[in-house]
Amino acid sequence: QNRLGANFGFPIIQNKVFFYGDFEYIPLGFDAVPVTPIFGPTAAGYTALGGLTGVSATNLRFLQSVLPAAQNATMFTTLNGTQIPLGMVSVSARDYQNQYNGVGALDWKLGQSDNLQARYVHDEVHSNNDGAALPAFSSPMKMRNLMGSLSEVHNFSGGAVNELRLSYTHYGDMIFDNGLTLPGLGVTGSPLISFPALNLQLGAFAG
């Protein structure tokens, strides 16, 4: 993991207005594998499914394009009286998560007893995977957290301090369309389809 950052500070008006800023960029790339095993048909299982009446050839081809055949059968499921061999599927993908952090501070000395303080915090993460089990369904996402504040601080004689503060916070978590289209739907995107017995979810926003 690499980190790139810089910070700087300088007076805007000597002995009166000061600025300080800090920025950090943290790029991270990694090979992602499912946390729990995913099961799917073996090559023989896909062949058996293709020969069954009532199984959509279009849907089966799509499933084969996003879910590789398992190398070895470890279990079976029965469909229309036919045993379909299933096994653990080897799934991996190259994912990234890039983080951008920044802070800014402005201090203005208004007089002997008063100071104006402005603060800004920026935290943003870009990723190419929203947690989908299969790489084909991964969707780009962006998380942004912002905070800003403006304070007027007055120092009274005797050590008492009064602060008047205005602040703003914003959080946004955005998941973008990955452009995937399921055959026959005619629209971009896909529904969330779950197969609990296989620990498999299909869909652009599957987690």
Side-chain angles (χ1 to χ4, degrees):
Q1 183 179 11
N2 300 313
R3 290 172 178 255
L4 176 66
N7 57 70
F8 52 92
F10 54 87
I12 298 176
I13 301 176
Q14 192 70 29
N15 299 323
K16 192 173 183 68
V17 183
F18 308 88
F19 176 80
Y20 174 81
D22 181 89
F23 174 78
E24 185 178 38
Y25 169 55
I26 310 174
L28 177 63
F30 55 95
D31 293 318
V33 295
V35 177
T36 54
I38 293 175
F39 294 87
T42 63
Y46 274 121
T47 300
L49 287 170
L52 293 178
T53 302
V55 174
S56 167
T58 299
N59 292 345
L60 184 60
R61 283 195 299 270
F62 178 78
L63 181 63
Q64 286 181 280
S65 71
V66 298
L67 182 64
Q71 294 298 315
N72 301 299
T74 58
M75 64 176 69
F76 292 87
T77 188
T78 302
L79 182 63
N80 292 343
T82 300
Q83 281 197 325
I84 308 298
L86 305 173
M88 189 181 302
V89 178
S90 177
V91 177
S92 64
R94 188 65 179 173
D95 288 352
Y96 72 82
Q97 178 178 291
N98 299 330
Q99 187 169 353
Y100 307 83
N101 301 322
V103 297
L106 181 70
D107 289 270
W108 185 0
K109 187 174 178 62
L110 300 175
Q112 294 298 319
S113 303
D114 292 277
N115 292 279
L116 190 65
Q117 301 174 348
R119 301 290 185 265
Y120 176 72
V121 179
H122 188 116
D123 180 19
E124 188 165 326
V125 177
H126 295 185
S127 173
N128 69 328
N129 192 342
D130 62 326
L134 297 177
F137 294 96
S138 294
S139 298
M141 65 177 298
K142 179 169 67 175
M143 184 273 297
R144 177 179 291 171
N145 192 16
L146 308 176
M147 184 186 74
S149 68
L150 181 66
S151 302
E152 200 282 331
V153 180
H154 179 78
N155 294 276
F156 294 94
S157 59
V161 177
N162 178 72
E163 179 180 356
L164 175 64
R165 178 185 299 173
L166 301 175
S167 64
Y168 168 80
T169 60
H170 167 80
Y171 176 80
D173 195 350
M174 295 164 281
I175 301 178
F176 302 97
D177 185 2
N178 67 355
L180 182 69
T181 301
L182 261 66
L185 291 184
V187 295
T188 300
S190 60
L192 175 59
I193 306 171
S194 180
F195 301 90
L198 304 179
N199 189 37
L200 177 63
Q201 289 182 334
L202 302 180
F205 306 113

